[in-house]
Amino acid sequence: MISQLPKVQLEPNQPVTVSQLPSVSLAAGQQVAVTELPRVKLETGQAVRVYTTTPMLTKPVGGESMATSLLTITEGMGELIANTSRCHVLLKASSTNIDAVTLGTGWTLAAGEQLKLETTAALSFSGTDGDTIQIIEVTR
C-alpha cells in the first residue's frame, strides 16, 4: 500500500496519465482544485451527484434584458444571427403573412403561429418575400 507519493518533477509540456489515485486526506484549510477531468461514460442506471458549498453558476432561465425586432423575408430568405448572450428567442409569424414561414429545413410557422426556442444559434428562415417574423430576443 502506498501511503505517500514521492516528489515528482515534470518537464515543461510533458503529459502525464493517472489511471488511479490513492486515498487523499486534506488537513483543515487545504484545498484541491481540479482543472480538467477525463471523459466519463456512465452506464444505464448510473448517476453522478454533485455537492458544493458555493452556488453553481448556470445559464439563467429569464435573462436580464430583451430586444424586439421584425425580420422581413427578402429574396426568399431571412436570418437571425447567432447571439451567445441569448437565453431564448420568441418567434411569431406575423398574422398578415401570405404563406407559412419555414424555420431551418422544415419547421413551418403559419401566419400568427408562435414558437419559443432556447438557443444561441443562428436561425435561418425561408418564405414569401415581404412576409415577416416578429422576434423577442431575451439575453443575459
Side-chain angles (χ1 to χ4, degrees):
M1 175 178 201
I2 298 173
S3 60
Q4 185 175 0
L5 293 174
K7 182 177 179 179
V8 176
Q9 184 172 349
L10 301 173
E11 296 297 321
N13 299 316
Q14 181 181 0
V16 173
T17 301
V18 177
S19 58
Q20 187 174 0
L21 290 173
S23 296
V24 176
S25 296
L26 299 177
Q30 287 182 318
Q31 297 181 357
V32 172
V34 178
T35 58
E36 187 175 336
L37 291 173
R39 185 179 180 138
V40 175
K41 180 180 179 186
L42 299 176
E43 298 297 330
T44 302
Q46 290 181 321
V48 173
R49 288 189 176 89
V50 177
Y51 299 93
T52 181
T53 56
T54 57
M56 293 179 68
L57 298 176
T58 59
K59 182 176 167 183
V61 174
E64 297 172 1
S65 63
M66 65 170 233
T68 61
S69 61
L70 185 67
L71 180 68
T72 301
I73 302 295
T74 306
E75 296 181 12
M77 305 169 69
E79 183 175 28
L80 177 64
I81 63 171
N83 182 347
T84 57
S85 297
R86 183 188 309 138
C87 298
H88 60 270
V89 61
L90 304 168
L91 307 169
K92 180 181 175 189
S94 296
S95 57
T96 58
N97 283 357
I98 296 170
D99 291 314
V101 174
T102 302
L103 171 61
T105 59
W107 187 275
T108 58
L109 293 171
E113 191 172 357
Q114 300 176 43
L115 179 64
K116 177 182 178 182
L117 295 173
E118 295 183 14
T119 183
T120 61
L123 302 175
S124 60
F125 302 90
S126 59
T128 301
D129 285 0
D131 280 356
T132 58
I133 301 129
Q134 298 168 4
I135 298 169
I136 298 176
E137 203 170 5
V138 179
T139 56
R140 24 178 183 200

